[in-house]
Amino acid sequence: MYSVLKGSSYYLAHTPDMVVHNGTTQTLQRKIDPDSEYLKEISNHLRDYETCVSYPPNQVYIGNMTPEELEKIETPWYDKKAEDKRQGKFGEIMPEDEFIGMLKYVDVFDLVKLNDEFSKQVKNKLDKHPLLDEKILAKLAEEVSSDEILGFIENEKAEPIRFNDEIVGCVKAAHNLDDTLFAHVIFENLVSKASCTIAILHLLQQTGIDKNEIEYVLECSEEACGDMNQRGGGNFAKAAAEMAGLENATGSDVRGFCAGPTHALIQAASLVKSGVFKNVIVAAGGSTAKLGMNGKDHLNKGLPILEDCVASFAVLISENDGISPELNTDIVGRHTVGTGASPQKVISSLTSIPLEKAGLKLTDVDKYSVEMQNPDITKPAGAGNVPEANYKMIGALAVMKGQIQKAELADFVKQHGMVGWAPTQGHIPSGIPYLGFARENILAGELNRTMFVGKGSLFLGRMTNLFDGISFMMQKNSGEPETAVSEEQIKQLIAESLRDFASHLVGKLEE
């Protein structure tokens, strides 16, 4: 039987100070021209926490609004407000000071230092968080003065941690000669680890699964940790599993740029279907490098910085329970080495070809989840509406194959597509944000089949000119749930058997 999707969680941390001081666009600009107008103006275009929380696409990401509800709001969305809800059914939007506290929580080498006053404030806030235990409070009890932190920054090249544009702590280098362990790399990796950890905690709460039942974790972000001898050796998966208290789990990292999560989900589904593991978590932390990535274009058009959140997610893949949506690993699209780079060939390899092998048409898929990039972010940067462009290509393919008429193309896009709402952090928007909604819609009987399409740009690593793509189908469960037999029922069955045996024995004696 196919493995099933038991739940999905989605997490955002609003990190405006990290936009200014850790996003690659900004750090490069600071090297090129530290006195540029862009760097002078960027702080005036940062959103406050309340504005970030009430931003409609962010509310969709954590599950308080549906894609259909977002579609009804006229674009652009940056000047519109939804409900101001931190907590959603899929996760939460955490303020920056609490997220900085999470960096301290996941640090196991005493590299994160936070000053006393800030630690006390954050400790009081995180003490009320429903997913965290006393371990975080113990770590935040460490006393470090502001002078000590400035000393680490000035003398040991530690990476400053800022909140409200003030230095409240630092991340120390893990090695003074190994540039893969320098402070800025450790900072990036801790951000990824912390955001991955809390996404896993949300997933555990949402699904109600016992932590000890998780046997394997696949982490599929775009970060890499290691040292000078093995720069991408890992292992984020096991590191996050440790922080989340998954004592019975092991794991490993999967990398494939933007398509990494889709690769990881197929691997997880296969591991469970084969019987190797019963419960596998696929998770990914966020990226500071991509904060404010399109900031210059946004400022030039008078917009706020919209890429101001570190995003993460976690997904639970389990044995078939006869109820949850199945991951049909018999329908997998692959952009192979020989596929080529033309848009038609790419889309065909990921959609129509695997569907035709299964005897299905493009119109047999109720919803496609592609690169669900938020058009509020991509359109001002000149990248257009990414999901819409993908849906038009799939629709055009359906026209070419005679499955719909040309006049029906717009209806195809509306019926089988969605608006984008995900942060532009590479691996985050690539199909995965819809998993939670798709599960709900399939369970409600509103959908039968959804196809998840991940694409990646392998050429960014300068090792190949190829890019990447892979897809899978999620479908309504084809079986019936097995009826569990309780302990009381077993006792009753035994008692009835004993009574029958006794009656039979008495009858024999009377004869």
Side-chain angles (χ1 to χ4, degrees):
M1 298 174 72
Y2 298 120
S3 53
V4 298
L5 174 67
K6 296 287 284 187
S8 308
S9 68
Y10 301 93
Y11 167 83
L12 295 173
H14 179 237
T15 53
D17 290 273
M18 295 182 192
V19 172
V20 178
H21 298 285
N22 304 102
T24 298
T25 297
Q26 291 68 245
T27 55
L28 286 178
Q29 185 66 34
R30 197 167 285 113
K31 288 181 179 180
I32 297 167
D33 183 8
D35 298 319
S36 69
E37 287 300 312
Y38 173 60
L39 293 178
K40 292 176 183 177
E41 283 294 317
I42 189 172
S43 294
N44 298 324
H45 289 259
L46 296 172
R47 299 186 292 187
D48 60 29
Y49 175 67
E50 290 71 23
T51 303
C52 172
V53 171
S54 62
Y55 181 51
N58 288 349
Q59 286 295 308
V60 177
Y61 191 74
I62 63 171
N64 286 332
M65 289 176 61
T66 66
E68 291 77 19
E69 289 171 330
L70 180 63
E71 189 174 11
K72 293 177 182 177
I73 303 175
E74 186 179 358
T75 56
W77 297 315
Y78 69 85
D79 56 354
K80 312 294 193 306
K81 284 193 173 184
E83 289 188 86
D84 184 6
K85 291 183 178 179
R86 167 176 174 163
Q87 298 289 340
K89 62 183 173 184
F90 296 148
E92 70 172 305
I93 304 173
M94 181 178 277
E96 188 168 33
D97 56 345
E98 293 182 37
F99 183 60
I100 291 170
M102 287 298 300
L103 298 187
K104 180 67 178 175
Y105 176 56
V106 302
D107 169 34
V108 295
F109 281 89
D110 196 27
L111 299 174
V112 176
K113 300 293 180 181
L114 303 176
N115 73 40
D116 299 341
E117 184 180 352
F118 181 80
S119 287
K120 289 175 184 176
Q121 293 173 357
V122 174
K123 182 178 179 180
N124 290 334
K125 292 182 72 175
L126 289 178
D127 186 30
K128 301 177 180 68
H129 198 288
L131 300 182
L132 303 177
D133 55 28
E134 65 281 356
K135 292 179 183 178
I136 178 70
L137 305 179
K139 286 198 173 186
L140 287 169
E142 181 188 21
E143 295 186 359
V144 184
S145 70
S146 295
D147 288 340
E148 286 179 278
I149 289 169
L150 290 176
F152 291 134
I153 294 170
E154 292 170 3
N155 303 321
E156 300 183 25
K157 297 182 180 180
E159 182 82 4
I161 299 176
R162 294 176 173 85
F163 179 65
N164 289 337
D165 208 28
E166 293 184 5
I167 294 175
V168 296
C170 68
V171 176
K172 297 170 64 178
H175 198 281
N176 62 352
L177 295 176
D178 184 348
D179 56 6
T180 62
L181 295 174
F182 282 178
H184 74 277
V185 178
I186 296 296
F187 180 94
E188 287 183 355
N189 288 347
L190 286 172
V191 165
S192 187
K193 179 184 175 183
S195 54
C196 181
T197 297
I198 200 158
I200 293 175
L201 292 175
H202 273 287
L203 179 69
L204 296 171
Q205 182 193 52
Q206 182 194 132
T207 59
I209 190 170
D210 188 309
K211 290 182 178 182
N212 289 322
E213 291 183 23
I214 305 299
E215 297 170 294
Y216 205 79
V217 178
L218 287 166
E219 202 276 351
C220 51
S221 68
E222 292 187 325
E223 299 294 336
C225 59
D227 66 3
M228 66 176 78
N229 294 314
Q230 44 186 12
R231 291 175 181 141
N235 181 316
F236 276 110
K238 206 160 187 178
E242 176 189 19
M243 293 296 101
L246 306 181
E247 297 287 341
N248 198 39
T250 186
S252 60
D253 298 345
V254 176
R255 294 294 177 263
F257 284 98
C258 302
T262 321
H263 284 287
L265 276 163
I266 291 171
Q267 291 181 37
S270 302
L271 286 169
V272 173
K273 182 184 177 184
S274 67
V276 176
F277 303 115
K278 292 182 179 180
N279 296 292
V280 176
I281 286 178
V282 175
S287 169
T288 54
K290 292 184 176 178
L291 292 171
M293 187 167 54
N294 294 291
K296 291 182 180 179
D297 293 304
H298 294 163
L299 260 65
N300 288 339
K301 293 177 172 61
L303 306 179
I305 299 295
L306 298 172
E307 296 161 306
D308 58 357
C309 288
V310 171
S312 62
F313 69 84
V315 175
L316 175 59
I317 307 299
S318 300
E319 286 185 314
N320 201 311
D321 58 3
I323 301 171
S324 302
E326 298 173 337
L327 279 68
N328 187 337
T329 47
D330 292 327
I331 304 177
V332 172
R334 301 175 301 130
H335 179 276
T336 65
V337 171
T339 296
S342 73
Q344 181 183 330
K345 288 184 177 180
V346 172
I347 290 297
S348 295
S349 69
L350 299 177
T351 58
S352 64
I353 291 176
L355 288 172
E356 286 169 3
K357 287 180 179 178
L360 298 172
K361 297 183 293 185
L362 291 161
T363 51
D364 290 326
V365 176
D366 299 310
K367 286 287 184 183
Y368 292 88
S369 184
V370 291
E371 298 164 288
M372 303 312 300
Q373 303 270 13
N374 178 356
D376 248 14
I377 297 171
T378 57
K379 288 177 75 173
N385 188 326
V386 178
E388 184 180 68
N390 276 277
Y391 292 131
K392 285 181 177 178
M393 285 191 285
I394 297 171
L397 193 60
V399 172
M400 287 177 57
K401 293 182 172 294
Q403 297 173 10
I404 63 171
Q405 299 299 313
K406 187 175 182 180
E408 298 174 302
L409 179 57
D411 289 337
F412 179 92
V413 172
K414 185 172 181 59
Q415 181 182 345
H416 299 274
M418 295 168 284
V419 295
W421 66 89
T424 51
Q425 296 211 342
H427 60 295
I428 296 296
S430 195
I432 304 308
Y434 184 56
L435 279 169
F437 293 112
R439 183 177 186 275
E440 287 188 338
N441 293 338
I442 290 174
L443 287 173
E446 297 167 3
L447 301 174
N448 288 318
R449 298 187 186 95
T450 54
M451 189 169 230
F452 293 81
V453 181
K455 291 192 286 185
S457 306
L458 295 183
F459 49 80
L460 296 172
R462 305 304 192 271
M463 291 291 109
T464 175
N465 284 313
L466 297 173
F467 66 93
D468 191 26
I470 194 163
S471 64
F472 68 89
M473 182 78 79
M474 190 163 80
Q475 63 191 23
K476 180 180 179 180
N477 199 292
S478 55
E480 294 293 331
E482 293 182 6
T483 303
V485 181
S486 68
E487 184 177 347
E488 286 301 317
Q489 288 173 313
I490 292 172
K491 289 179 180 178
Q492 185 178 348
L493 289 169
I494 292 172
E496 289 175 356
S497 298
L498 288 173
R499 282 197 298 271
D500 290 343
F501 176 72
S503 298
H504 175 72
L505 187 60
V506 169
K508 286 289 185 185
L509 290 173
E510 289 176 349
E511 289 177 2

